[in-house]
């Protein structure tokens, strides 16, 4: 028998149309939702209460946890399979709520279930949960509902999100090892300054003589480490929390996102990933029957890069004014020239979705290759940086000893 937990809920009373709040005990969120429906209430939000208060503290910095790509792709594929197998939508959703292990996704699905019971369409219910279901998925579901091929639309979305997740995993794998090694090297340097330098300082004091400038700097850092280290930790933590809260704001994205596309080492890879995502998403939406203007608007939002969004808005304006799709794409300065040329060929031949799919295949393959090359490029650079850091400290520590031995030899 599962553990009984206490849940806070918000629900609608269909008789009075009032929103009811309260708490109840149940084994799972799904069981809590079932209890509310048994009372004639439509659940809006159900959340487990934390006994320690830790959960509330964490949510001060992450009020709206987003659903990651892999759980979203798995959900879309499973829902497509159940619908294509002939299960009713409400039954399919109930099955997935019961087995979903991702808490943000489960919370969003409970809200979707309540909206469906209230008579809304699946796409409208998804649209009310933007932290869980991106505009791309909402539009594909809407087209699938209208055309009677909801399962196929969901399969397309699942394939797209799986491809995105694979690229992200490869990029994380390529960058995680160098970042961990660099962090360990920085910690080692801090440890040497805090604990090793004072030992050498005592030895230098007993020997007498004037210390070289690099050694004086190390000794000065060691003396001030009592307040420098807490300040460094506070700055890092403060910067991290600030970034978590502001990374999605327009002002920050306007500065950071264009730099991502031209950053040393990573810039070309980020550009390839962005172009692949843009091409894949647009190809998929056009192939599903979404009108071009609507598809462009949605793809711009899904690009996850401010510079790409601005370029797509220019393309959207050009298409709305009856002009070419490829011309503003070439002028944007974000997309490689080959993309504009292939789009132009697709426009002229009436095979734009297929041509965009070919562009996506090509740049996804290039992104995977570039990711592998990035790992092999970062390793020697990292070795040189760590060598300079550690070697410089060792030379600074031993320089006074060499000087003293030199003076002794002269005498």
């Amino acid at each position: 028998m599962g553990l009984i937990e206490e849940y806070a809920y918000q629900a609608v009373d269909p008789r009075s149309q009032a929103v009811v709040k309260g708490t109840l005990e149940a084994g799972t969120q799904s069981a809590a939702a079932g209890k509310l429906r048994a009372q004639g209430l439509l659940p809006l939000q159900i959340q487990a209460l934390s006994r320690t208060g830790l959960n509330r503290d964490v949510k001060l910095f992450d009020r709206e946890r987003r659903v990651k790509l892999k759980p979203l792709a798995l959900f879309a594929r499973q829902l497509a399979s159940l619908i294509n197998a002939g299960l009713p939508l409400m039954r399919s959703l109930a099955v997935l709520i019961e087995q979903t292990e991702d808490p943000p996704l489960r919370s969003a699905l409970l809200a979707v279930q309540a909206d469906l019971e209230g008579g809304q369409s699946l796409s409208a219910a998804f649209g009310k949960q933007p932290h869980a279901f991106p505009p791309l998925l909402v539009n594909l579901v809407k087209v699938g509902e209208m055309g009677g091929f909801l399962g196929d639309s969901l399969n397309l979305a699942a394939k797209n999100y799986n491809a995105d997740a694979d690229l992200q995993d490869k990029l994380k794998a390529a960058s995680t090892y160098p970042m961990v090694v660099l962090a360990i090297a920085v910690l080692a340097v801090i440890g040497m300054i805090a604990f090793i330098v004072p030992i050498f300082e005592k030895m230098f004091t007993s020997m007498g003589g004037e210390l070289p400038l690099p050694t004086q700097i190390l000794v000065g850092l060691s003396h001030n480490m009592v307040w420098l280290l807490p300040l460094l930790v506070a700055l890092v933590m403060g910067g991290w929390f600030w970034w978590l809260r502001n990374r999605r704001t327009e002002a920050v994205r306007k500065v950071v996102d264009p730099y991502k596309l031209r950053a040393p080492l990573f810039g070309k890879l980020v550009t390839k990933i962005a172009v692949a995502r843009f091409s894949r998403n647009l190809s998929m939406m056009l192939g599903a029957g979404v009108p071009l203007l609507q598809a462009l608007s949605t793809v711009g939002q899904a690009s996850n890069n401010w510079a790409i969004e601005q370029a797509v808005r220019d393309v959207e304006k050009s298409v709305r004014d009856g002009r070419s799709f490829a011309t503003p794409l070439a002028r944007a300065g974000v997309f490689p020239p080959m993309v504009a040329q292939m789009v132009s060929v697709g426009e002229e031949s009436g095979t734009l979705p297929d041509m965009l799919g070919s562009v996506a295949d090509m740049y996804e393959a290039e992104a995977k290759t570039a990711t592998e090359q990035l790992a092999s490029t970062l390793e020697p650079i990292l070795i040189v940086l760590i060598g300079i850091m550690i070697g410089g400290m060792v030379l600074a520590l031993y320089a006074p000893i060499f000087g003293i031995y030199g003076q002794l030899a002269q005498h």
Side-chain angles (χ1 to χ4, degrees):
M1 186 176 178
L3 293 174
I4 300 298
E5 292 186 286
E6 190 175 6
Y7 292 87
Y9 68 84
Q10 293 183 25
V12 174
D13 188 340
R15 293 161 293 187
S16 62
Q17 298 298 314
V19 176
V20 181
K21 297 181 180 180
T23 61
L24 55 78
E25 291 185 345
T28 64
Q29 283 184 326
S30 299
K35 284 188 175 183
L36 291 174
R37 285 193 290 271
Q39 298 172 22
L41 301 175
L42 298 178
L44 292 178
Q45 185 176 6
I46 301 175
Q47 188 173 12
L49 292 176
S50 172
R51 291 191 175 97
T52 63
L54 178 62
N55 194 38
R56 181 175 295 178
D57 293 338
V58 172
K59 289 194 175 183
L60 289 175
F61 300 100
D62 192 16
R63 294 180 181 176
E64 201 175 64
R65 292 177 60 193
R66 292 179 177 269
V67 177
K68 295 181 180 179
L69 287 177
K70 283 195 172 180
L72 189 61
L74 179 62
F75 161 74
R77 190 172 300 283
Q78 289 176 335
L79 184 58
S81 299
L82 293 174
I83 290 174
N84 288 336
L87 262 69
L89 179 58
M90 288 298 296
R91 176 59 181 160
S92 300
L93 202 60
V95 170
L96 294 180
I97 289 173
E98 191 66 34
Q99 72 175 32
T100 297
E101 297 179 357
D102 188 68
L105 180 57
R106 179 181 292 145
S107 178
L109 289 178
L110 286 168
V112 168
Q113 187 180 48
D115 288 334
L116 290 178
E117 290 174 347
Q120 295 191 26
S121 65
L122 183 61
S123 57
F126 277 1
K128 292 172 67 176
Q129 309 295 324
H131 64 286
F133 307 110
L136 181 73
L137 178 61
V138 174
N139 279 279
L140 283 173
V141 168
K142 187 175 182 179
V143 171
E145 287 176 324
M146 294 172 61
F149 49 88
L150 179 58
D152 294 338
S153 293
L154 287 166
N155 271 325
L156 277 174
K159 181 180 178 182
N160 177 71
Y161 291 133
N162 268 326
D164 261 6
D166 288 342
L167 278 176
Q168 286 188 6
D169 287 346
K170 287 182 179 296
L171 182 58
K172 287 178 182 177
S175 58
T176 297
Y177 172 73
M179 293 301 103
V180 169
V181 172
L182 186 61
I184 292 173
V186 170
L187 290 175
V189 168
I190 292 173
M192 289 177 68
I193 293 174
F195 302 107
I196 306 299
V197 172
I199 297 174
F200 275 82
E201 183 189 3
K202 291 178 181 178
M203 183 174 63
F204 298 151
T205 303
S206 64
M207 290 179 177
E210 186 178 351
L211 297 177
L213 180 61
T215 310
Q216 291 180 24
I217 293 173
L218 280 182
V219 171
L221 286 174
S222 178
H223 286 167
N224 293 283
M225 191 57 67
V226 175
W227 64 269
L228 276 177
L229 187 57
L231 177 63
L232 179 63
V233 172
L235 287 175
V236 170
M237 291 184 65
W240 178 249
F241 285 131
W242 180 90
W243 172 252
L244 290 178
R245 291 185 66 86
N246 295 280
R247 59 181 173 173
R248 294 190 179 96
T249 60
E250 182 78 8
V252 172
R253 295 180 69 233
K254 189 175 181 178
V255 175
V256 174
D257 286 355
Y259 177 75
K260 288 180 182 178
L261 299 177
R262 58 178 187 272
L265 295 178
F266 287 91
K268 290 184 178 180
L269 174 58
V270 172
T271 300
K272 292 179 191 297
I273 292 174
V275 170
R277 178 181 292 157
F278 164 80
S279 304
R280 178 69 66 201
N281 290 345
L282 188 56
S283 170
M284 181 177 59
M285 295 196 74
L286 293 178
V290 179
L292 179 57
L293 284 174
Q294 183 181 343
L296 284 170
S297 175
T298 304
V299 166
Q301 297 175 44
S303 65
N304 201 29
N305 188 286
W306 184 87
I308 299 287
E309 287 181 27
Q310 300 309 305
V312 174
R313 285 176 187 172
D314 292 339
V315 172
E316 186 181 352
K317 186 176 182 298
S318 175
V319 173
R320 185 178 287 110
D321 293 341
R323 297 195 298 270
S324 168
F325 177 11
T327 303
L329 206 65
R331 289 200 306 261
V334 175
F335 299 95
M338 182 181 294
V339 177
Q341 293 172 8
M342 294 184 73
V343 165
S344 179
V345 172
E347 275 188 306
E348 294 171 3
S349 61
T351 58
L352 185 56
D354 295 334
M355 198 61 69
L356 286 167
S358 299
V359 171
D361 290 339
M362 179 175 65
Y363 278 95
E364 282 172 1
E366 288 189 11
K368 290 177 182 177
T369 303
T371 302
E372 295 169 358
Q373 292 174 347
L374 179 65
S376 59
T377 303
L378 283 175
E379 286 184 17
I381 294 175
L382 199 59
I383 291 171
V384 171
L385 286 176
I386 294 174
I388 291 173
M389 290 169 58
I390 305 297
M393 285 193 63
V394 171
L395 287 175
L397 288 175
Y398 280 93
I401 299 176
F402 296 148
I404 292 170
Y405 285 158
Q407 291 175 4
L408 292 175
Q410 290 176 1
H411 293 294

